[in-house]
Amino acid sequence: INSSAAAVNQSVTVACTTHTIDLPAGSFVQLEVLNASLAVGEAVTIGGDFFFEQTTLAAGTTATRVAVSKASLTFEGQGLENGEGALLILTDGVAGVLSGDLTGGVTGRLGFRVNTSVSAVDETISFNGSDIRVLFGAGEVRDAGTGQNFLQIFGEDLSLNIGDFVTIEGDVSFTNQGGESVFAGKDLSLFVGNGPARLPNGDLNPSASGLFLRDARVGLIKFSDGTYALSASGTVEGVG
């Protein structure tokens, strides 16, 4: 805690032990919780390191800054690990980003970005040796006309294997912005047949047989009036 506008660097002695108080200029209230673990019933477990700070931004407004690292969320054996993100609680909404590595039947990294305020945001929170940037441009805000919040969900290097019969891989994103919904996918591949499609080292399985869609790109837009626009491309081949 530092309620003054000046930085503090002083030493105090308590019970023959010297402690150094080294704080940046305030005013702010800051709390860190390390190696936290919370079990919700028998199915859900939440863990990680958490940072909370109430501070005054450059614009003079008060905000609460939240950061998380080494986060994990498990639900019946499925979930995320190595999670990292940050959240700003502003006077007119919240803005934040969070991502983590998927565990269980799906591999890759999954995350989201959300801004429920009407303001562009560019804040960096330093925690646990990482600089986590919360960045939203002027077009990534709550829409003043529709009241719709900005939301983006993204997946990177995703891989889903269903019973060695169907394998889906690639990068995808879904964005809800200004009354429009946009789905995009790149470097997508889809295998259907007798698999698995890949060996444990990541190489294609020479014993697999079926249909393989590779190097696919998909773009789908749903406009505010209910109409759609779609673009898709890729290469389909038989294997085995």
Side-chain angles (χ1 to χ4, degrees):
I1 300 174
N2 187 3
S3 61
S4 73
V8 176
N9 191 341
Q10 296 185 13
S11 296
V12 296
T13 301
V14 179
C16 299
T17 301
T18 300
H19 302 271
T20 300
I21 302 175
D22 187 6
L23 298 172
S27 63
F28 66 86
V29 177
Q30 189 179 104
L31 172 67
E32 293 186 9
V33 181
L34 304 179
N35 299 318
S37 180
L38 173 65
V40 183
E42 297 181 356
V44 179
T45 303
I46 304 170
D49 297 342
F50 300 88
F51 168 94
F52 305 89
E53 180 184 58
Q54 188 174 67
T55 188
T56 301
L57 301 178
T61 58
T62 300
T64 299
R65 308 200 305 173
V66 181
V68 58
S69 70
K70 303 177 184 176
S72 62
L73 171 65
T74 304
F75 177 73
E76 295 184 344
Q78 311 266 341
L80 281 88
E81 62 183 10
N82 302 321
E84 182 178 85
L87 179 72
L88 284 172
I89 304 175
L90 307 168
T91 55
D92 62 342
V94 299
V97 58
L98 176 68
S99 64
D101 296 330
L102 290 165
T103 62
V106 185
T107 61
R109 194 163 182 88
L110 182 69
F112 73 89
R113 301 171 64 236
V114 61
N115 188 4
T116 69
S117 77
V118 296
S119 306
V121 176
D122 189 358
E123 289 284 329
T124 299
I125 301 177
S126 299
F127 178 52
N128 263 7
S130 297
D131 294 327
I132 308 170
R133 191 177 185 186
V134 182
L135 176 63
F136 293 89
E140 298 176 322
V141 301
R142 184 176 75 237
D143 186 81
T146 64
Q148 186 179 65
N149 298 321
F150 173 84
L151 172 65
Q152 184 178 67
I153 301 172
F154 58 90
E156 301 170 344
D157 298 322
L158 297 179
S159 179
L160 171 63
N161 180 21
I162 304 174
D164 289 342
F165 179 73
V166 177
T167 302
I168 305 172
E169 299 174 331
D171 300 339
V172 297
S173 69
F174 171 82
T175 304
N176 205 354
Q177 178 181 11
E180 296 180 355
S181 298
V182 180
F183 173 82
K186 68 174 185 176
D187 300 327
L188 298 175
S189 66
L190 169 65
F191 171 81
V192 180
N194 295 318
R198 295 188 182 276
L199 300 174
N201 65 359
D203 293 341
L204 291 176
N205 182 4
S207 300
S209 62
L211 288 177
F212 195 24
L213 169 66
R214 68 170 76 221
D215 302 324
R217 301 176 66 91
V218 177
L220 173 64
I221 302 175
K222 180 183 178 182
F223 298 101
S224 56
D225 61 0
T227 57
Y228 292 84
L230 171 65
S231 175
S233 63
T235 302
V236 179
E237 60 184 292
V239 295

